[in-house]
Amino acid sequence: MTRHAVRRFMAALAVANPEPRTELHYRDPYTLLVAVVLSAQATDVSVNRATAGLFTCAATPSAMVALGEAAVAQHIRHIGLWRDKARNVIALSERLLAEHQGIVPRDRTALEALPGVGRKTANVVLNVAFGEPTLAVDTHIFRVANRTGMAVGSSVLAVERGLMQVIPSKYLLHAHHWLILHGRYVCKARKPECERCVGRRWCEYPGKE
Ligand code: SF4
């Protein structure tokens, strides 16, 4: 897809949803970080159900450590990989207290050093909590980027770099949410709903209807 076409596509997404928001429920950078860690291989709806109770009991690193791994596990037991995630939530909370005064760092390297936090989670936290123009490539963004021809690549990192190069800077802050929501609700994996797609004109997918 040409840069001009990417610009037009992003402009159309911007008009359709000027202020896109994450569908994860959170109160501050810490609760966002926990919610994103819990969201790996789980739906936002299931994470929100779990964090509704969890954050009522513990919404700070010290409260989470005091709550303990077993109780965290009880709150999140209906989402995938809950045992590992409970361990990571406690470990990252301990690390935040020990090394960052209990504050979520606005720094990629420091974020990625936290237990259970990879590049994707760091990108989401930097974007949503701190307003940095980062792009966290999940399964939806990976599919949309490749399918449309916006950024073709066989790895998540290649697609992230490709998108960062072609998306105009004025759209980068919200591009993450526009593309996720577009993939989740319109450009779906099995059957994209091309007839109601705002980017249909510029999409290069051969199978578009
Ligand atoms: S036209 Fe169809 S395949 Fe292309 S982005 Fe839109 S929904 Fe996806």
Side-chain angles (χ1 to χ4, degrees), residues 23-27 31 34-35 38 43-59 64 67 71-72 74-79:
E23 294 185 329
L24 287 173
H25 296 167
Y26 68 100
R27 305 175 184 186
T31 47
V34 172
L38 296 181
T43 64
D44 288 359
V45 172
S46 69
V47 172
N48 290 339
R49 218 176 280 137
T51 55
L54 177 62
F55 293 158
T56 302
C57 295
M64 198 67 78
L67 186 64
V72 171
Q74 269 303 308
H75 281 286
I76 66 171
R77 69 190 181 284
H78 295 301
I79 59 178

Side-chain angles (χ1 to χ4, degrees), residues 8 18 23 35 45 50 97 120 124 126 157-158 161 199 207:
R8 300 288 299 274
E23 294 185 329
V45 172
L97 290 166
K120 183 155 116 2
V124 176
L126 288 170
L157 194 56
R161 289 190 173 138

Side-chain angles (χ1 to χ4, degrees), residues 46-186:
S46 69
V47 172
N48 290 339
R49 218 176 280 137
T51 55
L54 177 62
F55 293 158
T56 302
C57 295
T60 64
S62 53
M64 198 67 78
V65 171
L67 186 64
E69 186 178 324
V72 171
Q74 269 303 308
H75 281 286
I76 66 171
R77 69 190 181 284
H78 295 301
I79 59 178
L81 309 173
W82 57 279
R83 285 192 183 86
D84 288 344
K85 289 175 179 175
R87 197 175 314 122
N88 283 333
V89 166
I90 294 297
L92 75 84
S93 301
E94 288 173 341
R95 187 80 69 87
L96 286 175
L97 290 166
E99 298 176 7
H100 302 284
Q101 296 84 46
I103 295 167
V104 176
R106 185 177 181 167
D107 176 81
R108 172 185 301 287
T109 306
L111 282 168
E112 289 186 17
L114 296 170
V117 178
R119 184 178 181 86
K120 183 155 116 2
T121 297
N123 275 335
V124 176
V125 171
L126 288 170
N127 180 270
V128 177
F130 299 120
E132 304 252 357
T134 56
L135 241 157
V137 176
D138 72 344
T139 179
H140 297 300
I141 297 188
F142 187 79
R143 179 179 67 256
V144 171
N146 273 292
R147 195 183 254 174
T148 58
M150 224 178 253
V152 176
S154 57
S155 73
V156 163
L157 194 56
V159 168
E160 181 187 323
R161 289 190 173 138
L163 287 172
M164 292 297 287
Q165 277 177 8
V166 295
I167 295 175
S169 53
K170 71 183 237 186
Y171 295 123
L172 267 180
L173 177 61
H174 290 320
H176 168 74
H177 288 120
W178 283 324
L179 292 174
I180 283 183
L181 295 172
H182 187 63
R184 192 176 284 168
Y185 297 112
V186 182

Side-chain angles (χ1 to χ4, degrees), residues 1 9 144 147-148 150 182 186-188 191-209:
M1 190 186 290
F9 200 131
V144 171
R147 195 183 254 174
T148 58
M150 224 178 253
H182 187 63
V186 182
C187 193
K188 298 174 184 174
K191 195 174 184 327
E193 297 181 9
C194 305
E195 67 285 351
R196 66 184 194 90
C197 173
V198 297
R200 191 179 182 288
R201 220 169 124 191
W202 305 286
C203 172
E204 294 177 353
Y205 181 48
K208 75 179 178 186
E209 294 168 0

